[in-house]
Amino acid sequence: QVHLVQSGGGLVRAGGSLTLTCEASGRPVGSYTMGWFRQVPGQEREFVAAINSNSDTHYTESVKGRFTISRDDAKNTVYLQMNSLKFEDTAVYYCAGTGTDYEYDYWGQGTQVTVSS
């Protein structure tokens, strides 16, 4: 059974930085794709970034150059470094991992990121 536990997040001023952490148990994070998503109340969950088993990374256009997804295999943890935060980055952020069907089957509990303008 795969469990994802998130930490980080909080309140930050526009232009500031935050790091989100997602610690996994049950399977090595390097063995499958890990991603970050975010959701604003009343809106659909949005893809933010992903890193696959080859360490290839992908980002949604709005965060390119500002956010960095990374992985520490020794700690079985995935990170999302968020710089130059904007008000529109405010959301609940979720980490997720794909299963054998290559769908995001495993989800963290979510963490609030609030950027004040």
Side-chain angles (χ1 to χ4, degrees):
Q1 187 74 11
V2 177
H3 291 285
L4 304 177
V5 179
Q6 299 178 221
S7 59
L11 174 64
V12 65
R13 287 186 175 183
S17 298
L18 283 174
T19 301
L20 304 183
T21 299
C22 178
E23 185 173 357
S25 61
R27 188 163 62 177
V29 291
S31 66
Y32 52 109
T33 295
M34 293 292 294
W36 289 95
F37 292 75
R38 63 188 180 187
Q39 188 169 25
V40 175
Q43 298 184 17
E44 292 188 356
R45 192 171 295 182
E46 173 192 28
F47 169 80
V48 176
I51 183 167
N52 65 17
S53 57
N54 294 324
S55 297
D56 299 319
T57 57
H58 302 276
Y59 299 91
T60 191
E61 192 65 33
S62 63
V63 308
K64 284 182 179 178
R66 300 189 299 120
F67 290 12
T68 302
I69 187 171
S70 62
R71 187 179 72 219
D72 185 331
D73 291 341
K75 295 182 178 180
N76 215 33
T77 298
V78 175
Y79 304 94
L80 184 67
Q81 174 67 42
M82 304 183 292
N83 298 327
S84 302
L85 281 161
K86 303 177 181 180
F87 175 75
E88 51 264 40
D89 294 319
T90 297
V92 176
Y93 283 71
Y94 298 89
C95 71
T98 59
T100 55
D101 57 359
Y102 302 102
E103 299 290 330
Y104 284 101
D105 292 332
Y106 307 104
W107 293 86
Q109 79 274 23
T111 187
Q112 177 71 45
V113 171
T114 303
V115 184
S116 61
S117 58

